[in-house]
């Protein structure tokens, strides 16, 4: 079968999924979508997607089914639940889960999929909303290498760095490593801003230097400018980052592995959550440091004056 003739089903049209699915369509693949909140499918229909009434219906009309939803229970529901992917998939269908979930749950689902003749890859992503929009995501893949090659053109529509990490579950394990790095780099960014602010240094000039030095990071380059504008809107929400760190810390406990820095980030983000910041972007970690240091780092958005 020619790669562009692959019919792609896409389940999950959140911040990431809506851009990823559109990029697949732009690359020339027919796309059918489903989302729990039906209104999000209306937007996809405008750019040319077909819409389905259930994950089962998506799978029945697709050669490749991609899922990217919130958490492990959500993936289980759309894959294994009533009207789920496995109820509609034919033998030979390729299921690609691009959510970030438990590696062990991934292996369990892959075994159940295999019982039905369905090949499963775990392919979580990194790069945030910007990478999703621009089609430059990093994609870490676990599963059979030959299956990966069959769907590589689909993945290339969404990402520029596609790495086969090993057997099923390896992609999720590498994503956990990425989230350790993302969390600790986020904390480093926040502490550097606080240090510069307290010392009276111009924050824009500090960033001009440090984003080109050895201490730079994706968080420093992308999130710090948002913070300085008072923009705490989510590219990736605190809620989902905490879900990912919970996966990391659960796996670390199973391996009897201490992860001190990751645990600190988890607790600071819990403070953000305690103050109502669940749906803010992860750069809202800055607010926890503001409270501890009695600093104002995030410019407060001005309220519109009441009309006379």
């Amino acid at each position: 079968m020619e790669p562009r003739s692959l019919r792609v089903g896409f389940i999950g049209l959140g911040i990431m999924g809506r851009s990823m699915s559109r990029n697949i369509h732009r690359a020339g693949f027919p796309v059918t979508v489903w989302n729990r909140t039906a209104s999000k499918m209306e937007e996809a229909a405008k750019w040319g997607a077909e819409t389905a009434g259930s994950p089962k219906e998506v799978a029945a009309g697709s050669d490749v089914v991609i899922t990217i939803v919130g958490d492990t229970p959500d993936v289980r529901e759309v894959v294994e639940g009533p009207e789920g992917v496995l109820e509609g998939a034919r033998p030979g269908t390729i299921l690609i889960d691009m959510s970030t979930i438990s590696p062990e749950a991934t292996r369990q689902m892959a075994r159940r999929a295999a019982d039905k003749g369905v090949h499963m890859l775990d392919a979580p992503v990194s790069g945030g909303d910007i990478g999703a929009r621009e089609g430059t995501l990093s994609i870490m893949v676990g599963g059979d290498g030959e299956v990966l090659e069959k769907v590589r053109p689909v993945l290339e529509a969404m990402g520029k760095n596609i790495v086969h990490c090993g057997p099923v579950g390896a992609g999720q394990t590498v994503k956990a490593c990425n989230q350790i790095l993302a969390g600790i780099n986020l904390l480093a960014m926040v502490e550097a801003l606080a240090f510069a602010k307290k010392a009276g240094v111009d924050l824009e000039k500090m960033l001009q230097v440090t984003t080109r030095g050895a201490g730079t990071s994706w968080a420093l380059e992308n999130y710090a400018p948002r913070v300085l504008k008072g923009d705490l809107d989510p590219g990736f929400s605190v809620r989902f980052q905490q879900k990912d760190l919970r996966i990391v810390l659960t796996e670390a406990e199973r391996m009897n592995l201490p992860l001190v820095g990751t645990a600190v980030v988890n607790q600071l983000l819990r403070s953000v959550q305690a103050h109502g910041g669940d749906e803010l972007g992860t750069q809202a970690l800055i607010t926890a440091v503001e409270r501890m240091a009695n600093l104002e780092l995030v410019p407060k958005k001005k309220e519109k004056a009441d009309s006379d």
Side-chain angles (χ1 to χ4, degrees):
M1 184 177 287
E2 290 296 319
R4 288 300 186 276
S5 68
L6 289 172
R7 297 169 300 167
V8 179
F10 203 99
I11 296 170
L13 299 174
I15 290 174
M16 302 290 286
R18 64 191 180 203
S19 296
M20 293 162 67
S21 57
R22 189 167 192 176
N23 284 336
I24 294 170
H25 181 262
R26 284 172 173 162
F29 297 95
V31 176
T32 300
V33 300
W34 181 85
N35 192 76
R36 187 162 44 194
T37 304
S39 60
K40 293 185 178 180
M41 291 192 284
E42 296 172 6
E43 178 188 342
K46 290 177 182 177
W47 52 251
E50 297 292 328
T51 60
S54 67
K56 177 182 177 180
E57 187 179 328
V58 170
S62 302
D63 304 301
V64 179
V65 179
I66 294 171
T67 54
I68 181 163
V69 294
D71 204 345
T72 303
D74 303 307
V75 180
R76 286 195 183 279
E77 180 182 350
V78 298
V79 171
E80 302 176 326
E83 295 293 304
V85 170
L86 294 184
E87 284 195 359
R90 303 175 313 281
T93 300
I94 298 172
L95 169 63
I96 310 173
D97 180 39
M98 305 188 80
S99 318
T100 299
I101 66 170
S102 157
E104 180 54 31
T106 294
R107 288 186 284 268
Q108 292 170 359
M109 275 186 280
R111 288 193 289 269
R112 294 187 184 112
D115 290 340
K116 292 182 174 288
V118 174
H119 308 289
M120 182 172 175
L121 301 174
D122 55 302
V125 300
S126 177
D129 59 328
I130 297 171
R133 285 197 305 272
E134 297 180 355
T136 57
L137 294 167
S138 286
I139 305 175
M140 46 221 91
V141 185
D144 184 272
E146 291 184 5
V147 175
L148 167 59
E149 292 311 310
K150 290 179 182 178
V151 298
R152 185 177 287 275
V154 178
L155 298 179
E156 287 174 343
M158 298 178 281
K160 299 303 181 190
N161 183 35
I162 301 164
V163 179
H164 185 211
C165 300
V168 170
Q172 294 294 351
T173 299
V174 173
K175 178 60 186 285
C177 297
N178 183 82
Q179 296 309 85
I180 294 169
L181 292 164
I184 293 175
N185 282 327
L186 188 68
L187 178 58
M189 178 270 288
V190 165
E191 291 196 347
L193 287 174
F195 188 89
K197 178 76 172 183
K198 194 75 171 179
V201 170
D202 182 280
L203 299 183
E204 295 278 5
K205 291 180 179 178
M206 185 274 283
L207 290 180
Q208 186 178 348
V209 174
T210 56
T211 53
R212 291 164 177 78
T216 193
S217 65
W218 194 95
L220 191 70
E221 293 173 14
N222 290 276
Y223 282 150
R226 291 191 188 187
V227 168
L228 297 193
K229 294 174 184 175
D231 179 6
L232 300 184
D233 291 339
F236 190 63
S237 72
V238 169
R239 175 167 63 95
F240 283 129
Q241 178 74 355
Q242 285 290 72
K243 178 265 295 183
D244 291 354
L245 294 184
R246 185 172 67 249
I247 291 169
V248 169
L249 293 170
T250 298
E251 288 293 302
E253 183 176 4
R254 185 179 63 81
M255 294 186 287
N256 197 28
L257 176 69
L259 295 178
V260 178
T262 305
V264 169
V265 175
N266 171 250
Q267 293 300 307
L268 288 172
L269 285 174
R270 190 169 295 174
S271 170
V272 176
Q273 290 177 299
H275 286 82
D278 224 26
E279 300 302 330
L280 295 175
T282 53
Q283 67 271 29
L285 182 65
I286 195 80
T287 61
V289 173
E290 282 184 315
R291 284 188 289 269
M292 288 191 298
N294 193 26
L295 278 174
E296 183 176 314
L297 283 155
V298 181
K300 300 299 182 280
K301 293 182 179 179
K302 294 179 180 178
E303 298 292 334
K304 291 182 180 179
D306 293 334
S307 57
D308 294 334

